[in-house]
Amino acid sequence: MALDQAVPTQQSGATRETLEDYTLRFAPRSYRRWSPAVVGASALGGMAYMADFSIGAGIGLTHGTSNALLAILFAAVIILVTGFPLAYYGARYNIDLDLITRGSGFGYYGSVVTSVIFASFTFIFFALEGSIMAQGLRYGLGLPLWLGYLISTLVIIPLVIYGMKALAKLQTWTNPLWLVLIVAPIVYLVVADPGSVDRFLSYKSGVDVAAVMLGAGVCLSLMAQIGEQIDYLRFMPPKTEANKRSWWISVIMAGPGWVFFGAAKQIIGVFLAVYILDAVGAAAAVEPIEQFTGVLKQMMPLWLVVPLALLLVVLSQVKINVTNAYSGSLAWTNSVTRVTRRYPGRLVFVLVNLAFALVLMEADMFSFLNSLLSFYSNCAIAWVVTVATDIMVNKYLLGLSPKHPEFRRGMLFSVNPVGLTAFLGSSGISIAIYFGAFGSAIQPFSPVAAVVIALVVTPLMAIVTRGRYYLRRTDDGIDEPMVDADGNPSGNRHTCQVCEQSYERPDVLASALGGVICSLCLSTDRTGKHVLPAQTA
């Protein structure tokens, strides 16, 4: 059923909008008509961002190639391991990372804090990509940076107004061109100047553990990227015997596998920065526009260099920043709707997110990039590792957390001390370490502390609380299974008595007044009259 056929014109604006991108909602199979390959390719389109080149270059020029490579690989392993359970849950149960977080140790309102952290991730990286685009516009067209910042923000608005359907087309159509523009210069440089590889490998040689950890802290700030990947993966079709191979390949490669592409770009960033260092200096060597023009000048006429480099930068920025703006608007909407019990509209928060990003750009965040990311990484690590640990350990090893993810109001406790304690303890202590509260010797190890504390405290709290604070109710009042024979969310439909729209089984539950209510109408029930009472043990 096409979306415009499924939604009557007389419904409310809030309902209509949330049925385009399924803000706050389970994504139903009636909407998920893309193949696993299309969803995976769309998710990987978000990997076009150029911040990795700057991040890698900054780490490499500061700490040397050997330390940079170890830092990048160390961070990649952690991101890969923690990203897998999150990607699986998002694709299997068709919910975003906020909805996963609610039922994985945080509670209905407890996950608001992590939604704000994720929203912060999106506007920080929007600002970073916007700054890179502004540098490209200055280099190619002579525009002042302030104007470039404004253009890089405004150009995204018309592209991100629409939901997944528009984003899938944009990412799929532009992926081949982007890959050619990235790969061709690197291949040419390695073939035409083999000595560039030796210079890269020998730059500031030697290994220092503290330097590796400092570099890893910057890379680990990207851990929250899995949330943006899940914003696409939640639209995966049901996993069946016929498609299970392509389903798993797409989930793994477009989920935790994003880090393969991210780590490769960071390493390339070090390589290109070392290559152009003597020609442009350290300050410019971390700018992707300078990195790629430095290579393109060697392989083609000068009149073609600037247009191609500018095309690469603008294309990359647009591909990732539509995702940043989209995911950020979802995160803000999730938070505000739960707290206020009003749905303000996702488009409002598209503008809010872009405004935050523009302020960061105008404040020249690019000049203190590594410091900002190193600080932020402590919060991102604490959140992602806590949720991943709850899934892997508390759900599957200890059996103290319910395996089926729950996100609906009334089914969850408002706050679950398991995840919230682990997150606050992990982020708080690691931030204190980062600022030197425990001495300079362990200061570089704040990312490791964030990982270890979250990994230990999450199951410990589940054991101490005996898993009592996950589910407020075990019965949602509808005598029908949540999954079908293949273990996929059921496609059976029910009509919400409030908005009078039809929703699939995982998105509805019984109302305390009788009948069935959808998850969004229950979220915006200001009096709580539809919320089912808690079940007694």
Side-chain angles (χ1 to χ4, degrees), residues 75 170 188 255 260 268 277 281 287 311 384 422 468 489 494 500 510 525 531:
L170 171 68
Y188 174 86
F260 296 130
I268 291 171
L277 180 60
E287 297 181 7
L311 174 62
V384 173
R468 289 193 303 262
H494 298 263
E500 300 182 344
D525 173 16
V531 178

PDB file of all heavy atoms in Angstrom, residues 75 170 188 255 260 268 277 281 287 311 384 422 468 489 494 500 510 525 531:
ATOM      1  N   ALA A  75      39.664   2.242  18.147  1.00  0.00           N
ATOM      2  CA  ALA A  75      38.307   2.786  18.197  1.00  0.00           C
ATOM      3  C   ALA A  75      37.372   1.995  17.296  1.00  0.00           C
ATOM      4  O   ALA A  75      36.211   1.744  17.656  1.00  0.00           O
ATOM      5  CB  ALA A  75      38.323   4.257  17.778  1.00  0.00           C
ATOM      6  N   LEU A 170      18.028  10.122  -2.849  1.00  0.00           N
ATOM      7  CA  LEU A 170      19.207  10.993  -2.884  1.00  0.00           C
ATOM      8  C   LEU A 170      20.476  10.177  -2.672  1.00  0.00           C
ATOM      9  O   LEU A 170      21.449  10.318  -3.436  1.00  0.00           O
ATOM     10  CB  LEU A 170      19.085  12.071  -1.802  1.00  0.00           C
ATOM     11  CG  LEU A 170      20.341  12.929  -1.584  1.00  0.00           C
ATOM     12  CD1 LEU A 170      20.595  13.818  -2.793  1.00  0.00           C
ATOM     13  CD2 LEU A 170      20.212  13.768  -0.316  1.00  0.00           C
ATOM     14  N   TYR A 188      45.436   6.990  -7.900  1.00  0.00           N
ATOM     15  CA  TYR A 188      46.416   7.667  -8.746  1.00  0.00           C
ATOM     16  C   TYR A 188      47.664   8.024  -7.948  1.00  0.00           C
ATOM     17  O   TYR A 188      48.800   7.812  -8.413  1.00  0.00           O
ATOM     18  CB  TYR A 188      45.808   8.938  -9.342  1.00  0.00           C
ATOM     19  CG  TYR A 188      46.819   9.759 -10.108  1.00  0.00           C
ATOM     20  CD1 TYR A 188      47.089   9.486 -11.445  1.00  0.00           C
ATOM     21  CD2 TYR A 188      47.526  10.800  -9.493  1.00  0.00           C
ATOM     22  CE1 TYR A 188      48.038  10.223 -12.151  1.00  0.00           C
ATOM     23  CE2 TYR A 188      48.465  11.541 -10.178  1.00  0.00           C
ATOM     24  CZ  TYR A 188      48.718  11.246 -11.505  1.00  0.00           C
ATOM     25  OH  TYR A 188      49.658  11.973 -12.186  1.00  0.00           O
ATOM     26  N   GLY A 255      25.224  -1.262   9.223  1.00  0.00           N
ATOM     27  CA  GLY A 255      25.121  -0.989  10.653  1.00  0.00           C
ATOM     28  C   GLY A 255      26.495  -0.791  11.246  1.00  0.00           C
ATOM     29  O   GLY A 255      27.142   0.242  11.009  1.00  0.00           O
ATOM     30  N   PHE A 260      34.103   0.426   9.017  1.00  0.00           N
ATOM     31  CA  PHE A 260      35.131   0.065   8.041  1.00  0.00           C
ATOM     32  C   PHE A 260      35.403   1.238   7.108  1.00  0.00           C
ATOM     33  O   PHE A 260      36.553   1.569   6.801  1.00  0.00           O
ATOM     34  CB  PHE A 260      34.697  -1.150   7.215  1.00  0.00           C
ATOM     35  CG  PHE A 260      34.528  -2.407   8.023  1.00  0.00           C
ATOM     36  CD1 PHE A 260      33.373  -3.166   7.915  1.00  0.00           C
ATOM     37  CD2 PHE A 260      35.514  -2.844   8.897  1.00  0.00           C
ATOM     38  CE1 PHE A 260      33.203  -4.324   8.650  1.00  0.00           C
ATOM     39  CE2 PHE A 260      35.361  -4.001   9.641  1.00  0.00           C
ATOM     40  CZ  PHE A 260      34.196  -4.739   9.516  1.00  0.00           C
ATOM     41  N   ILE A 268      43.090   7.538   5.289  1.00  0.00           N
ATOM     42  CA  ILE A 268      43.358   8.327   4.078  1.00  0.00           C
ATOM     43  C   ILE A 268      43.612   9.779   4.439  1.00  0.00           C
ATOM     44  O   ILE A 268      44.469  10.443   3.846  1.00  0.00           O
ATOM     45  CB  ILE A 268      42.184   8.203   3.086  1.00  0.00           C
ATOM     46  CG1 ILE A 268      42.130   6.783   2.520  1.00  0.00           C
ATOM     47  CG2 ILE A 268      42.307   9.220   1.960  1.00  0.00           C
ATOM     48  CD1 ILE A 268      40.877   6.498   1.700  1.00  0.00           C
ATOM     49  N   LEU A 277      51.593  18.301   3.467  1.00  0.00           N
ATOM     50  CA  LEU A 277      52.026  19.079   4.628  1.00  0.00           C
ATOM     51  C   LEU A 277      53.053  20.143   4.270  1.00  0.00           C
ATOM     52  O   LEU A 277      52.909  21.314   4.652  1.00  0.00           O
ATOM     53  CB  LEU A 277      52.583  18.138   5.702  1.00  0.00           C
ATOM     54  CG  LEU A 277      53.083  18.800   6.993  1.00  0.00           C
ATOM     55  CD1 LEU A 277      51.958  19.560   7.685  1.00  0.00           C
ATOM     56  CD2 LEU A 277      53.666  17.749   7.936  1.00  0.00           C
ATOM     57  N   GLY A 281      51.254  23.586   4.818  1.00  0.00           N
ATOM     58  CA  GLY A 281      51.366  23.802   6.258  1.00  0.00           C
ATOM     59  C   GLY A 281      50.343  22.995   7.030  1.00  0.00           C
ATOM     60  O   GLY A 281      49.343  22.516   6.479  1.00  0.00           O
ATOM     61  N   GLU A 287      42.328  20.297   6.147  1.00  0.00           N
ATOM     62  CA  GLU A 287      41.121  20.653   5.411  1.00  0.00           C
ATOM     63  C   GLU A 287      40.964  19.736   4.204  1.00  0.00           C
ATOM     64  O   GLU A 287      41.840  19.682   3.337  1.00  0.00           O
ATOM     65  CB  GLU A 287      41.178  22.118   4.958  1.00  0.00           C
ATOM     66  CG  GLU A 287      41.225  23.112   6.106  1.00  0.00           C
ATOM     67  CD  GLU A 287      41.246  24.558   5.616  1.00  0.00           C
ATOM     68  OE1 GLU A 287      41.085  24.765   4.389  1.00  0.00           O
ATOM     69  OE2 GLU A 287      41.409  25.467   6.450  1.00  0.00           O
ATOM     70  N   LEU A 311      32.972  19.978  -6.275  1.00  0.00           N
ATOM     71  CA  LEU A 311      31.868  19.035  -6.423  1.00  0.00           C
ATOM     72  C   LEU A 311      31.939  17.945  -5.360  1.00  0.00           C
ATOM     73  O   LEU A 311      30.925  17.577  -4.759  1.00  0.00           O
ATOM     74  CB  LEU A 311      31.906  18.405  -7.819  1.00  0.00           C
ATOM     75  CG  LEU A 311      30.883  17.278  -8.071  1.00  0.00           C
ATOM     76  CD1 LEU A 311      29.459  17.812  -7.951  1.00  0.00           C
ATOM     77  CD2 LEU A 311      31.119  16.645  -9.446  1.00  0.00           C
ATOM     78  N   VAL A 384      26.145   4.443  24.306  1.00  0.00           N
ATOM     79  CA  VAL A 384      26.108   3.315  23.369  1.00  0.00           C
ATOM     80  C   VAL A 384      26.557   2.018  24.043  1.00  0.00           C
ATOM     81  O   VAL A 384      25.936   0.963  23.859  1.00  0.00           O
ATOM     82  CB  VAL A 384      26.960   3.614  22.120  1.00  0.00           C
ATOM     83  CG1 VAL A 384      27.075   2.381  21.232  1.00  0.00           C
ATOM     84  CG2 VAL A 384      26.363   4.776  21.334  1.00  0.00           C
ATOM     85  N   ALA A 422      24.374   3.421  35.062  1.00  0.00           N
ATOM     86  CA  ALA A 422      25.573   3.068  34.306  1.00  0.00           C
ATOM     87  C   ALA A 422      26.014   4.220  33.412  1.00  0.00           C
ATOM     88  O   ALA A 422      27.204   4.550  33.332  1.00  0.00           O
ATOM     89  CB  ALA A 422      25.312   1.820  33.458  1.00  0.00           C
ATOM     90  N   ARG A 468      13.800  -5.544  38.010  1.00  0.00           N
ATOM     91  CA  ARG A 468      12.430  -5.160  38.376  1.00  0.00           C
ATOM     92  C   ARG A 468      11.941  -3.910  37.650  1.00  0.00           C
ATOM     93  O   ARG A 468      10.736  -3.664  37.604  1.00  0.00           O
ATOM     94  CB  ARG A 468      12.337  -4.905  39.895  1.00  0.00           C
ATOM     95  CG  ARG A 468      12.442  -6.151  40.757  1.00  0.00           C
ATOM     96  CD  ARG A 468      12.014  -5.825  42.190  1.00  0.00           C
ATOM     97  NE  ARG A 468      12.812  -4.748  42.757  1.00  0.00           N
ATOM     98  CZ  ARG A 468      13.855  -4.934  43.559  1.00  0.00           C
ATOM     99  NH1 ARG A 468      14.233  -6.160  43.864  1.00  0.00           N
ATOM    100  NH2 ARG A 468      14.525  -3.921  44.051  1.00  0.00           N
ATOM    101  N   PRO A 489       8.087  -8.581  13.531  1.00  0.00           N
ATOM    102  CA  PRO A 489       6.929  -7.886  14.090  1.00  0.00           C
ATOM    103  C   PRO A 489       5.677  -8.148  13.260  1.00  0.00           C
ATOM    104  O   PRO A 489       5.708  -8.092  12.031  1.00  0.00           O
ATOM    105  CB  PRO A 489       7.355  -6.406  14.030  1.00  0.00           C
ATOM    106  CG  PRO A 489       8.848  -6.449  14.130  1.00  0.00           C
ATOM    107  CD  PRO A 489       9.251  -7.674  13.376  1.00  0.00           C
ATOM    108  N   HIS A 494      -4.729  -2.714  13.661  1.00  0.00           N
ATOM    109  CA  HIS A 494      -5.773  -2.314  14.602  1.00  0.00           C
ATOM    110  C   HIS A 494      -6.034  -0.827  14.418  1.00  0.00           C
ATOM    111  O   HIS A 494      -5.127  -0.073  14.044  1.00  0.00           O
ATOM    112  CB  HIS A 494      -5.350  -2.585  16.045  1.00  0.00           C
ATOM    113  CG  HIS A 494      -5.104  -4.035  16.341  1.00  0.00           C
ATOM    114  ND1 HIS A 494      -6.043  -4.846  16.921  1.00  0.00           N
ATOM    115  CD2 HIS A 494      -4.011  -4.824  16.124  1.00  0.00           C
ATOM    116  CE1 HIS A 494      -5.549  -6.062  17.061  1.00  0.00           C
ATOM    117  NE2 HIS A 494      -4.317  -6.078  16.583  1.00  0.00           N
ATOM    118  N   GLU A 500      -8.218   7.439  14.888  1.00  0.00           N
ATOM    119  CA  GLU A 500      -9.003   6.647  13.943  1.00  0.00           C
ATOM    120  C   GLU A 500      -8.198   6.168  12.736  1.00  0.00           C
ATOM    121  O   GLU A 500      -8.733   5.985  11.647  1.00  0.00           O
ATOM    122  CB  GLU A 500     -10.237   7.435  13.477  1.00  0.00           C
ATOM    123  CG  GLU A 500     -11.157   7.813  14.630  1.00  0.00           C
ATOM    124  CD  GLU A 500     -12.389   8.555  14.162  1.00  0.00           C
ATOM    125  OE1 GLU A 500     -12.381   9.031  13.007  1.00  0.00           O
ATOM    126  OE2 GLU A 500     -13.345   8.657  14.932  1.00  0.00           O
ATOM    127  N   ALA A 510      -3.795  -1.654  24.417  1.00  0.00           N
ATOM    128  CA  ALA A 510      -5.132  -1.360  24.923  1.00  0.00           C
ATOM    129  C   ALA A 510      -5.142  -0.036  25.673  1.00  0.00           C
ATOM    130  O   ALA A 510      -4.163   0.356  26.315  1.00  0.00           O
ATOM    131  CB  ALA A 510      -5.601  -2.491  25.840  1.00  0.00           C
ATOM    132  N   ASP A 525      -1.137  11.899  25.338  1.00  0.00           N
ATOM    133  CA  ASP A 525      -2.270  11.913  26.267  1.00  0.00           C
ATOM    134  C   ASP A 525      -1.869  12.689  27.518  1.00  0.00           C
ATOM    135  O   ASP A 525      -1.207  12.179  28.409  1.00  0.00           O
ATOM    136  CB  ASP A 525      -2.644  10.461  26.619  1.00  0.00           C
ATOM    137  CG  ASP A 525      -3.715  10.380  27.708  1.00  0.00           C
ATOM    138  OD1 ASP A 525      -4.383  11.403  27.969  1.00  0.00           O
ATOM    139  OD2 ASP A 525      -3.865   9.291  28.297  1.00  0.00           O
ATOM    140  N   VAL A 531      -3.643   5.557  29.888  1.00  0.00           N
ATOM    141  CA  VAL A 531      -2.516   4.731  30.330  1.00  0.00           C
ATOM    142  C   VAL A 531      -3.011   3.584  31.203  1.00  0.00           C
ATOM    143  O   VAL A 531      -3.739   3.793  32.183  1.00  0.00           O
ATOM    144  CB  VAL A 531      -1.488   5.573  31.115  1.00  0.00           C
ATOM    145  CG1 VAL A 531      -0.345   4.695  31.602  1.00  0.00           C
ATOM    146  CG2 VAL A 531      -0.954   6.698  30.236  1.00  0.00           C
TER     147      VAL A 531
END
